[in-house]
Amino acid sequence: MNSILDKLTIYDYCIVVVYLVALLAIGIISSRKKTEGAEHFLAGKSLNWYSIGFNMWATNVGPSMLLAFATVGYTTGIVAVNFDWYAFIYLFLLAVLFAPRYIATGVRTLPEFMGKRFGPNTQTILAWYSLVKMLISWLSLGLFAGGFLVRQILGIQMWQSVTVLVALAGLFAYTGGLRTVAKINIFQMILLIAVSAFLTFLGLSKIGGISSLMQQTPDNYWSLIRPASDPDYPWYAIALGYPVAAIAFFCTDQAMVQSVLGAKNLEQGQLGINFIAWLKILSLPLFILTGIICSVLFPGLKDPSLAYMTMVTNLFPTGLNGLVIVVLIAVLVGTIGSSLNSLSTVFTMDIYLKHIRPDATNKQITQIGRYTVIIGCLASVFVALAIDQIKGLNLFDVFQSILGFIAPPLAVAFLMAVLWKRTNRAAINTILTFGAVLSLATGVCYLWIFPKDVYSFWPHYLMLSFGLFTALLLIGIAVSLLVPKSRYELEHKDSFQIKIEKPTVRVKAAWIALFIVMIALYMFFK
């Protein structure tokens, strides 16, 4: 594979400079309206549906997705799009089950939501769990993937790549909070769609169209549902294991849900969640199809993870390679910027304001949030550099596995809290402490101590996630039935009565249309 750096011209450098100037201009303009305190983190409850949808998508679409989806498309076809298309069911749960409760209680963070129901101890446990999760799964792995790609393109050292990238992303989270990050991400995601669509168009043109592509690839490349004997994506693992990760990822993760908490009202939040579900349909033509096209144009790659870079290096015309660098910066700034804002929100609201300085002024709250952004930037750089020292790392598999092992305690705790009134603090705290130790210890054994490549007794990691979810759910039910509610819960049982708004006609119509389209897509690609 030739280096893009060798093909860069003055036009490419101009494209990058113009993009950076436009990015900074949008950031400066959007941050002119100063907000302090909670408004800094939630954009003053001013986000409309398209801002929410684009911002959630930007949080979700990181450099690892560009690498991973193209890699999986190259080796197995479209089956991995289940990780985006199957999500519409769990985004619907967020819209109709979780979001109405989050917004009705007026919380700023998800640990605060659990704290109102079960007390400050639960809030603190979940806050620290969320901070560690965001630092590792969002910031460090995402930053490493971005640095890995930039290193491939520019040939610079990893520490230089990650330092520059996290500084750019941190700038917007530091200065303007969620409002600035959301405005930036609208611009970023429109740019991502345009450039990715152009790459797909170039590839299909070279092959001779979609019909020619389908004729030159195996039939199973175009099937969403694989047989139970498939070693990588058996249908039962996706059907049973993926929901655990999806509920935790889309319904209980502060980085994903924060945009919804900043909505103007519930309707805008529900429409924004619907919008990201529509955007996720684009994963097939924009990301996975790139890898499938590469398998035809450049078969026999020694490392399938080079599929994306192979496509852009060989297909993009001279003078437009700067667009590739721009898109990589865009997806990284989107993911890291949103994650940094969420990290600072949780620490400031659930740790600093709750335990360190309850009487802090709005100015002090904002300042602590900004200091947290700086610390988050530094910590994520060091962890990303540590990840770079691990040899033989398959980023996509490790990321999906880690999410699968982090997810069960969160999924069980929030589902029980929302769906069962009998659930008590003892059950939730047990799930978040013992459950976290059990899940993470299983993950460490699976990934490092007794790796699956060496020890064949392991089931699929999605089935492990489902097994952990089931075990923790049974434990949570048993504790709730055997242990009485705490004094805090008895004293506050009336204050947590939530009146849920019914979905508007617009919300119902948007979700009905989405369900029809998704069912049709699954029928077509079954």
Side-chain angles (χ1 to χ4, degrees), residues 4 21 60 497:
I4 288 182
V21 170
N60 191 194
Q497 299 297 322

Side-chain angles (χ1 to χ4, degrees), residues 156-217:
I156 61 178
Q157 296 183 22
M158 176 63 78
W159 72 268
Q160 295 171 321
S161 301
V162 297
T163 301
V164 172
L165 290 172
V166 80
L168 184 61
L171 175 65
F172 302 115
Y174 180 91
T175 56
L178 182 59
R179 187 194 306 275
T180 299
V181 170
K183 291 285 180 65
I184 290 291
N185 284 340
I186 294 174
F187 169 67
Q188 307 264 59
M189 293 303 102
I190 292 174
L191 182 65
L192 172 64
I193 291 171
V195 175
S196 298
F198 182 53
L199 179 60
T200 300
F201 170 77
L202 291 175
L204 287 176
S205 299
K206 194 173 183 67
I207 286 177
I210 190 69
S211 297
S212 177
L213 175 64
M214 295 182 73
Q215 291 172 4
Q216 298 180 62
T217 50

Side-chain angles (χ1 to χ4, degrees), residues 102-340:
Y102 294 155
I103 293 175
T105 52
V107 297
R108 297 154 295 189
T109 69
L110 301 191
E112 183 184 359
F113 173 79
M114 296 293 272
K116 282 192 172 186
R117 171 78 182 274
F118 300 108
N121 289 340
T122 302
Q123 181 174 349
T124 302
I125 292 170
L126 185 57
W128 284 112
Y129 191 73
S130 299
L131 289 172
V132 173
K133 178 180 180 294
M134 283 187 283
L135 178 62
I136 296 174
S137 64
W138 284 111
L139 290 172
S140 300
L141 282 173
L143 184 60
F144 168 74
F148 179 80
L149 285 172
V150 171
R151 182 172 61 183
Q152 282 186 343
I153 294 172
L154 301 180
I156 61 178
Q157 296 183 22
M158 176 63 78
W159 72 268
Q160 295 171 321
S161 301
V162 297
T163 301
V164 172
L165 290 172
V166 80
L168 184 61
L171 175 65
F172 302 115
Y174 180 91
T175 56
L178 182 59
R179 187 194 306 275
T180 299
V181 170
K183 291 285 180 65
I184 290 291
N185 284 340
I186 294 174
F187 169 67
Q188 307 264 59
M189 293 303 102
I190 292 174
L191 182 65
L192 172 64
I193 291 171
V195 175
S196 298
F198 182 53
L199 179 60
T200 300
F201 170 77
L202 291 175
L204 287 176
S205 299
K206 194 173 183 67
I207 286 177
I210 190 69
S211 297
S212 177
L213 175 64
M214 295 182 73
Q215 291 172 4
Q216 298 180 62
T217 50
D219 290 341
N220 66 354
Y221 263 46
W222 303 97
S223 176
L224 285 171
I225 302 173
R226 293 294 182 91
S229 58
D230 187 272
D232 298 316
Y233 300 103
W235 67 266
Y236 64 87
I238 294 176
L240 296 176
Y242 175 74
V244 179
I247 291 171
F249 186 79
F250 295 113
C251 303
T252 76
D253 191 288
Q254 180 72 26
M256 285 299 295
V257 177
Q258 183 147 341
S259 300
V260 181
L261 300 180
K264 287 181 179 179
N265 51 52
L266 177 60
E267 182 190 53
Q268 292 296 305
Q270 291 173 322
L271 290 174
I273 299 166
N274 178 264
F275 185 41
I276 184 186
W278 286 101
L279 289 172
K280 280 181 165 294
I281 296 175
L282 298 177
S283 296
L284 178 56
L286 295 185
F287 308 135
I288 291 182
L289 200 58
T290 300
I292 299 175
I293 294 170
C294 186
S295 71
V296 174
L297 294 178
F298 308 99
L301 287 181
K302 292 183 179 179
D303 184 359
S305 65
L306 297 176
Y308 182 81
M309 294 308 304
T310 299
M311 287 284 286
V312 298
T313 302
N314 290 278
L315 296 187
F316 263 69
T318 301
L320 291 181
N321 287 287
L323 287 173
V324 179
I325 300 174
V326 162
V327 164
L328 295 180
I329 296 175
V331 294
L332 186 87
V333 169
T335 298
I336 300 301
S338 299
S339 303
L340 284 170

